[in-house]
Amino acid sequence: MRPLAQCHVLLTAVLASAAAVVSTSVPAQDRFAERAAMIETIKLHARSAPSAVEGQGIDPAVLKTMGKVPRHFFVPEEQRGAAYRDRPLPIGYGQTISQPFIVALMTDLINVGPGDVVLEIGTGSGYQAAVLSPLAAKVYSIEIIPELGERAAARLAELRFDNVEVKVDDGYYGWPVHAPFDGIVVTAAASHIPPPLVEQLAKGARMVVPVGGPFATQFLMLVEKRRDGSITSRQLLPVSFVPLREGRAR
Amino acid sequence: MRAGRLLPVSLISAAILAYEVLLMRLFSIIQWHHFAYMIISIALLGFAASGTFVALACRPLVQRYPAAFAASAALFGITAVASFACAERLPFNALEIVWNPRQLGWLAAIYALLILPFFFGATCIGLAFSRHPGQIGRVYAFDLVGAGIGALGTVGLLFLVFPSAALRFVAALGFAAAALAATGMARHRWFAAGSLGLAAAVITVWLPPSWTAPSPHMSQYKGLRMALEVPNARVVEERSSPLGLLTVVESPTVPFRYAPGLSLANTQEPPAQLAVFTDGDSITAITAYGGEPATVAYLDRTTAALPYRILERPRMLLLGAGGGEQVLLALRAGADIVDAVEVNPQMIDLARNRFADFVGGIFSRPNVHLHLAEARAFAATTGERYDLIQMPLLDSFSAAAAGVQSMHENYTYTVEALRDYLAVLRPDGVVAITRWLRVPPRDILKLFATATVAIEAEGVAQPGRHLVLIRNWNTATLLVAKSPFTGDDVAAIRAFAAENFFDISWAPGISASDVNRYNQLDQEYLYEGALALLSPERSDFTERYKFDIAPATDNRPYFFDFFRWRALPELLILPTQGGAAMLDWGYLILVTTLVQAAILSAVLILLPLWLRRRALGRAAHRLRFGLYFLALGLAFLFIEIAFIQRFVLFLGHPLYAVAVVLAGFLAFAGLGSAVATRWMAAVGCGSPVRGIALAVVVIAFLAGTYLLALPLIFERLLALPDAAKIAIALLLIAPLAVFMGMPFPLGLGHVGAHSEEFIPWAWGINGCASVLSAILATLLAMHVGFTGVVTIATILYLVAPALLAGLWDRYDPHGSFPDRNRSR
């Protein structure tokens, strides 16, 4: 990392922490500065993960949206101080709200555009759906745990993310009546990709699945349905790491 | 002195060891397995703190020895339950440590709570040594025999009761020790003994299991807890043994559909399943089966189905039956006979009896035989020959991903193991191994490297012709064939891969244009790795790879250890971006525990030394005494741990190995310490240092002989029944352990004769060293193998008497120790 970039990251981290301290006592405040600092951190991370962002950085539209969505409303009361930190946070029921950088990456990878219909499996807090909401025409989100789903639906409605529809159901079958989808985000872990989701993916569309433990995203899996209907997948590391050292000079 | 006076020492010693084993079990359930090492370091802290305490408060406590012992033992009993009950209720989240330093505070709180029982227990033993300076050998004997019984007893007890209930018995044992000790009190002895005995009885009978039940406090991020959050999911069966807590969960509303390695081309939904969680995490599915093979057709589209494309009606050996998924696949694929091996008897009971109807009685079919055995031992002793040996995925992805298994020895994936498997294959037979695929790859490359070396060891010149590797997005399957793959085989494999969108990373005749088609990696490291590992570039590639992918061997059986220091800085620069997620934490936790333990023991050993420096004599003496007990503590455990790990292979199960070897070493070392004085008188001509010197020579001779002879003995006797093997193991351990039991009490008696002040801290140093060496032995074994560990221990033993000899020369008649010690 360049020294300048290091200073930058340090500054944004300090800003974010300072703002977090302030915001703990004033939760209702919009916390614009913290979101700006969060976006800077995401940009910085993206620069060091060239393969995950396909060499182009995160789409500015995604960053703009994330700069507006009040993440602190999507975390439990006791976690609000840390809402804009560059980290996943527990939201109860063994679930987490993803690290902002991972949310940005996943949103970026499915190439969502105006007019697109997106499906999310695993609503959780509703934050990912809220980020997708301004970018897409319609977002359908399915949550397995009733308490989480109902809370997320109420929160999204209250914050006027009107194009998001949440239902409590088994995500395995997707949402056939609204298929095909122009993008699918699967945030719930599974041992395999449910066939109905592959089926409900539109031709030329992408599905993204984070793989790893609750607080540790190992890699992102990107499934693409080509125009000819064939399926390919790619594994993307959120960090630049080459496992082989350069060869020795002989 | 009557033996009854020392009985409390045995009891409390048994209780401490049992408590340590229990805590490891309980924390494996609440958190993850790597916390076992945390418990070791907590025990160390307790021992060290107690050493300091006894050294400082020795005199008043020894004067009231029975009361002090009883009080300390009773406090052990109370804190054994109370500390655990409080600790498990703390909101500690191990997964969050990278993100939230506050979690370290909770971890420290757990340490602070759990140190208490070890502190009180160790204080009892430290007091006993100080109270009986002339009887060190006997005290030590009672201590060791008690510890041996505690180790073996807990393992037995855990087969009968749940760990939370076992905790009651351990606490009661503490009170029983207190009651016995109280009978030696000058006043109120019967009242004290009676009430403490009553407390022991009350705790055994009355203590509600809910106080110490681990399940309600299990981390909410473990698979079991997450599964139970789903509506209508419920536990239908629970079994507990020292091998783990098995929890069977039914989830009718949102079925499990567990099928790792399933192709993206699959369209079939798996049938109803029951999930069996081990210690709340690793999952194996019991799949509903009504006898109609079409209902499990999806299994054909997993990477593990590959061998059935090239084998017809194979006789199959399944190493790891689990819930029976691979048996279903084998039956569907038309396997002739299935020999399924499972190491956990409770898993067998669940699959064959309790849920027999659910699985359609597949384990009772005439062509399916379920064997209770360890995979390697079964392969080495079976007289059958197989067309296919299938090694399925049984560990969880999260456990594999976090690298927490790195410090566990594993004899199923070593070069020698693969040679054993190849030996029981028919000429056209195949070994199929399926593992999780991690990015960047490490397990699979290590497996490939291990298989390459194993095949070469069979005299094959072109190992590449015997290997095939395919991968999906989350699993990979390696085929190792006894004879080279034919052109037809390769064509069938290519067709299977294409149908399922699986990538072929290695097959005979494959080229760069064939790889990385469906599941694209940034770079095809598996193909490139396979090419390099099959070429003269092998050692260069292995050296340059940032994860340790050198083949595992029986001498260094750490298949899951991929850690390399040089990758650490790179991964830690961007920990929040995924660098931390790529680290194999097992090794780092081990190193951190060692460093922390070393610092703490140094502080806790040096503190009493410094405070009591006048009483303890000259600095040079203190240092050499200290080094003597440090060397003994390290060497004893090095040999014991190396033997435990070596005997896993012979006794067929890690649990038997731990129980038999630990109990054998402790009990026979106890015997050795009981006869140490006689040995000194008869062989050492009354000189302790000469006695020690001769004992360590015998130890060195025996250890050296065993290093050479054990592999041969194991090979010859592996086919004997378990009971005979246990008896042989004990017979082999006995002579070595008897002599290993002598240097400590002889040294302690020798030192104590000059200054009783030394006794508690010598005990403390030895205790610290023992616990340090438990961690150090594993770390060393990862680097230099068991042979290296035993060699280092032998050198330590040989050096030890020299440390005492110098002092011995200078003691009399003008020793530097205060006269008051000798005038007593």
Side-chain angles (χ1 to χ4, degrees):
Chain A
M1 198 188 291
R2 288 173 294 123
L4 193 66
Q6 273 174 337
C7 291
H8 201 128
V9 119
L10 211 66
L11 192 67
T12 49
V14 169
L15 271 176
S17 318
V21 172
V22 175
S23 61
T24 316
S25 50
V26 196
Q29 222 174 299
D30 190 41
R31 302 173 67 173
F32 178 79
E34 286 177 75
R35 272 202 296 284
M38 178 185 86
I39 300 299
E40 290 307 312
T41 309
I42 292 172
K43 282 186 193 165
L44 198 78
H45 284 340
R47 278 200 283 275
S48 53
S51 90
V53 295
E54 299 170 314
Q56 297 166 3
I58 306 266
D59 181 353
V62 173
L63 294 175
K64 195 175 159 196
T65 307
M66 288 186 70
K68 287 182 182 166
V69 177
R71 185 171 156 97
H72 57 287
F73 288 131
F74 292 88
V75 300
E77 193 77 38
E78 66 276 11
Q79 300 285 357
R80 286 203 170 162
Y84 292 97
R85 294 208 189 138
D86 180 36
R87 54 159 299 190
L89 289 166
I91 57 168
Y93 307 94
Q95 305 299 315
T96 54
I97 176 171
S98 294
Q99 181 187 0
F101 171 57
I102 299 294
V103 175
L105 259 185
M106 302 215 315
T107 314
D108 183 62
L109 282 169
I110 57 165
N111 287 340
V112 115
D116 282 354
V117 180
V118 181
L119 174 68
E120 183 194 25
I121 307 295
T123 318
S125 67
Y127 180 67
Q128 174 73 69
V131 171
L132 287 166
S133 162
L135 298 165
K138 184 79 186 174
V139 180
Y140 295 97
S141 185
I142 305 174
E143 172 58 49
I144 217 169
I145 298 167
E147 293 84 347
L148 282 178
E150 283 152 19
R151 256 184 249 166
R155 189 178 296 131
L156 288 160
E158 193 185 328
L159 295 170
R160 302 310 306 262
F161 291 100
D162 295 331
N163 63 342
V164 181
E165 194 174 328
V166 178
K167 73 166 175 178
V168 173
D169 205 348
D170 180 359
Y172 183 86
Y173 303 106
W175 205 323
V177 289
H178 302 297
F181 298 102
D182 305 301
I184 299 181
V185 178
V186 183
T187 55
S191 71
H192 64 275
I193 309 290
L197 297 187
V198 179
E199 202 183 308
Q200 289 168 33
L201 194 63
K203 284 182 179 168
R206 289 170 155 196
M207 164 159 50
V208 66
V209 187
V211 179
F215 285 88
T217 304
Q218 301 273 325
F219 60 85
L220 298 174
M221 195 181 54
L222 189 66
V223 180
E224 277 182 281
K225 189 184 257 185
R226 291 181 181 155
R227 298 271 168 213
D228 63 3
S230 65
I231 307 289
T232 59
S233 61
R234 268 197 287 160
Q235 273 150 316
L236 304 167
L237 283 179
V239 59
S240 173
F241 182 82
V242 180
L244 204 60
R245 281 193 310 160
E246 290 301 311
R248 283 194 228 115
R250 288 166 195 248
Chain B
M1 184 178 52
R2 281 183 298 121
R5 286 270 159 260
L6 288 177
L7 202 56
V9 175
S10 286
L11 290 185
I12 199 74
S13 188
I16 296 172
L17 216 88
Y19 189 61
E20 199 176 331
V21 174
L22 268 185
L23 278 188
M24 288 186 184
R25 199 75 283 293
L26 288 162
F27 272 89
S28 292
I29 297 169
I30 297 167
Q31 298 284 339
W32 283 268
H33 293 283
H34 43 308
F35 280 85
Y37 285 88
M38 186 183 89
I39 302 301
I40 292 176
S41 77
I42 288 174
L44 156 82
L45 264 167
F47 276 97
S50 129
T52 311
F53 173 71
V54 175
L56 295 177
C58 188
R59 201 160 301 159
L61 290 176
V62 170
Q63 276 168 6
R64 300 171 189 83
Y65 173 72
F69 190 108
S72 204
L75 284 167
F76 167 84
I78 293 167
T79 52
V81 172
S83 291
F84 174 71
C86 292
E88 69 167 348
R89 285 167 172 79
L90 293 178
F92 171 62
N93 178 12
L95 302 178
E96 227 185 311
I97 285 183
V98 177
W99 307 98
N100 184 5
R102 206 177 299 165
Q103 292 299 337
L104 290 172
W106 290 121
L107 187 61
I110 291 180
Y111 265 68
L113 281 168
L114 293 180
I115 193 177
L116 294 173
F118 292 107
F119 172 84
F120 291 121
T123 298
C124 294
I125 296 168
L127 283 175
F129 278 119
S130 299
R131 173 69 180 80
H132 309 290
Q135 297 280 331
I136 297 288
R138 293 193 70 195
V139 178
Y140 195 52
F142 274 81
D143 172 30
L144 288 180
V145 171
I149 292 168
L152 210 56
T154 319
V155 171
L157 188 63
L158 283 172
F159 271 112
L160 302 173
V161 298
F162 278 63
S164 51
L167 199 56
R168 285 189 284 173
F169 295 105
V170 172
L173 202 57
F175 276 103
L180 260 181
T183 57
M185 284 165 61
R187 288 183 292 166
H188 312 301
R189 75 175 71 161
W190 298 117
F191 172 72
S195 8
L196 287 165
L198 187 67
V202 167
I203 280 192
T204 314
V205 179
W206 170 79
L207 191 77
S210 62
W211 284 18
T212 51
S215 298
H217 306 287
M218 184 184 286
S219 165
Q220 59 173 318
Y221 303 103
K222 291 190 92 168
L224 172 61
R225 279 289 300 273
M226 291 206 252
L228 290 174
E229 293 291 355
V230 172
N232 304 320
R234 65 184 188 101
V235 174
V236 289
E237 190 68 61
E238 208 173 26
R239 300 282 171 91
S240 174
S241 82
L243 297 173
L245 174 72
L246 298 182
T247 314
V248 186
V249 178
E250 171 189 77
S251 184
T253 308
V254 181
F256 284 107
R257 309 174 183 115
Y258 186 72
L262 195 55
S263 160
L264 284 171
N266 167 64
T267 52
Q268 188 186 27
E269 181 181 351
Q273 288 179 333
L274 296 169
V276 187
F277 293 90
T278 304
D279 286 339
D281 211 35
S282 287
I283 178 174
T284 179
I286 299 181
T287 305
Y289 189 61
E292 179 49 63
T295 57
V296 291
Y298 68 97
L299 291 172
D300 293 350
R301 288 186 173 275
T302 57
T303 56
L306 172 64
Y308 297 106
R309 278 299 175 99
I310 54 170
L311 298 167
E312 264 184 54
R313 297 185 53 78
R315 182 180 182 117
M316 184 250 212
L317 169 61
L318 172 60
L319 299 179
E325 183 199 62
Q326 290 302 313
V327 177
L328 283 178
L329 173 60
L331 293 175
R332 177 173 161 74
D336 186 23
I337 289 176
V338 178
D339 278 317
V341 175
E342 171 57 49
V343 77
N344 190 339
Q346 296 189 327
M347 188 68 231
I348 288 185
D349 184 46
L350 289 175
R352 186 162 56 190
N353 305 323
R354 173 68 176 83
F355 297 105
D357 293 342
F358 190 84
V359 291
I362 53 167
F363 287 106
S364 307
R365 291 188 172 209
N367 62 337
V368 177
H369 313 291
L370 191 50
H371 307 269
L372 171 63
E374 196 269 336
R376 177 84 181 272
F378 184 88
T381 53
T382 180
E384 295 296 338
R385 291 293 175 268
Y386 297 92
D387 302 300
L388 170 62
I389 298 179
Q390 183 76 270
M391 299 175 69
L393 258 182
L394 286 177
D395 49 336
S396 71
F397 177 79
S398 56
V404 296
Q405 301 156 305
S406 60
M407 70 281 247
H408 296 307
E409 64 280 357
N410 181 309
Y411 287 100
T412 34
Y413 297 117
T414 64
V415 171
E416 292 87 344
L418 282 176
R419 294 190 67 189
D420 281 352
Y421 306 147
L422 288 169
V424 294
L425 280 184
R426 287 175 177 163
D428 291 326
V430 174
V431 180
I433 308 170
T434 301
R435 297 280 330 146
W436 294 109
L437 177 67
R438 296 161 72 192
V439 183
R442 50 210 106 153
D443 318 40
I444 307 299
L445 279 177
K446 193 166 196 161
L447 195 60
F448 198 91
T450 308
T452 307
V453 173
I455 297 169
E456 282 175 345
E458 297 291 313
V460 171
Q462 291 179 295
R465 296 176 60 200
H466 297 246
L467 294 165
V468 164
L469 178 63
I470 62 159
R471 65 175 170 84
N472 184 7
W473 68 273
N474 66 350
T475 65
T477 295
L478 175 73
L479 298 190
V480 188
K482 191 150 182 163
S483 310
F485 285 105
T486 63
D488 288 347
D489 291 340
V490 175
I493 290 162
R494 281 177 185 263
F496 173 78
E499 278 166 33
N500 292 295
F501 305 150
F502 294 152
D503 285 283
I504 301 179
S505 292
W506 179 258
I510 198 173
S511 70
S513 60
D514 296 320
V515 303
N516 214 13
R517 285 185 173 180
Y518 304 103
N519 176 51
Q520 293 158 359
L521 302 171
D522 273 354
Q523 203 174 337
E524 229 302 3
Y525 286 110
L526 286 178
Y527 172 65
E528 289 167 16
L531 267 185
L533 291 169
L534 291 167
S535 75
E537 305 287 310
R538 182 187 302 172
S539 58
D540 182 47
F541 178 82
T542 310
E543 178 59 29
R544 279 164 53 210
Y545 208 68
K546 288 177 187 166
F547 298 100
D548 183 0
I549 52 161
T553 61
D554 279 358
N555 190 41
R556 277 183 60 212
Y558 296 95
F559 178 81
F560 297 104
D561 172 34
F562 307 103
F563 182 83
R564 278 204 164 146
W565 282 103
R566 64 169 180 260
L568 185 65
E570 199 179 337
L571 293 173
L572 284 185
I573 285 176
L574 299 167
T576 55
Q577 241 182 292
M582 266 196 272
L583 272 173
D584 292 294
W585 285 96
Y587 186 92
L588 276 184
I589 287 172
L590 207 57
V591 173
T592 314
T593 312
L594 180 70
V595 170
Q596 165 209 37
I599 293 170
L600 287 166
S601 16
V603 169
L604 291 164
I605 291 167
L606 292 176
L607 185 69
L609 272 178
W610 185 78
L611 289 172
R612 289 273 163 161
R613 59 195 180 282
R614 281 174 181 276
L616 297 180
R618 287 213 310 254
H621 293 167
R622 293 198 296 264
L623 182 68
R624 295 178 72 169
F625 270 141
L627 287 176
Y628 174 76
F629 290 105
L630 188 74
L632 285 193
L634 290 175
F636 189 100
L637 259 286
F638 275 10
I639 290 187
E640 190 179 270
I641 287 174
F643 268 61
I644 288 175
Q645 292 170 337
R646 261 307 196 192
F647 274 75
V648 169
L649 201 54
F650 181 57
L651 295 173
H653 199 285
L655 197 71
Y656 292 160
V658 170
V660 171
V661 176
L662 197 65
F665 265 103
L666 291 172
F668 287 113
L671 183 69
S673 73
V675 300
T677 324
R678 260 173 264 170
W679 165 267
M680 177 182 75
V683 185
C685 305
S687 152
V689 178
R690 203 169 298 152
I692 295 167
L694 290 170
V696 298
V697 168
V698 179
I699 293 170
F701 171 75
L702 286 172
T705 312
Y706 282 176
L707 271 187
L708 299 173
L710 279 186
L712 295 173
I713 296 173
F714 289 173
E715 205 180 306
R716 297 275 161 82
L717 305 178
L718 202 58
L720 290 176
D722 281 349
K725 285 198 284 188
I726 289 173
I728 289 166
L730 289 173
L731 274 177
L732 286 168
I733 290 165
L736 185 60
V738 164
F739 286 100
M740 281 165 62
M742 292 181 181
F744 180 76
L746 288 180
L748 203 58
H750 176 63
V751 170
H754 294 278
S755 163
E756 283 172 22
E757 303 277 351
F758 276 106
I759 293 176
W761 73 259
W763 158 245
I765 289 177
N766 188 262
C768 285
S770 308
V771 185
L772 270 183
S773 65
I775 309 164
L776 199 55
T778 308
L779 269 179
L780 280 173
M782 283 172 157
H783 291 283
V784 296
F786 297 143
T787 314
V789 174
V790 173
T791 309
I792 293 169
T794 310
I795 294 168
L796 285 171
Y797 264 125
L798 288 171
V799 167
L803 290 164
L804 279 193
L807 293 168
W808 179 53
D809 295 342
R810 281 187 239 158
Y811 279 155
D812 290 318
H814 306 295
S816 60
F817 298 104
D819 281 340
R820 61 184 179 81
N821 287 321
R822 273 184 284 156
S823 63
R824 276 185 195 161

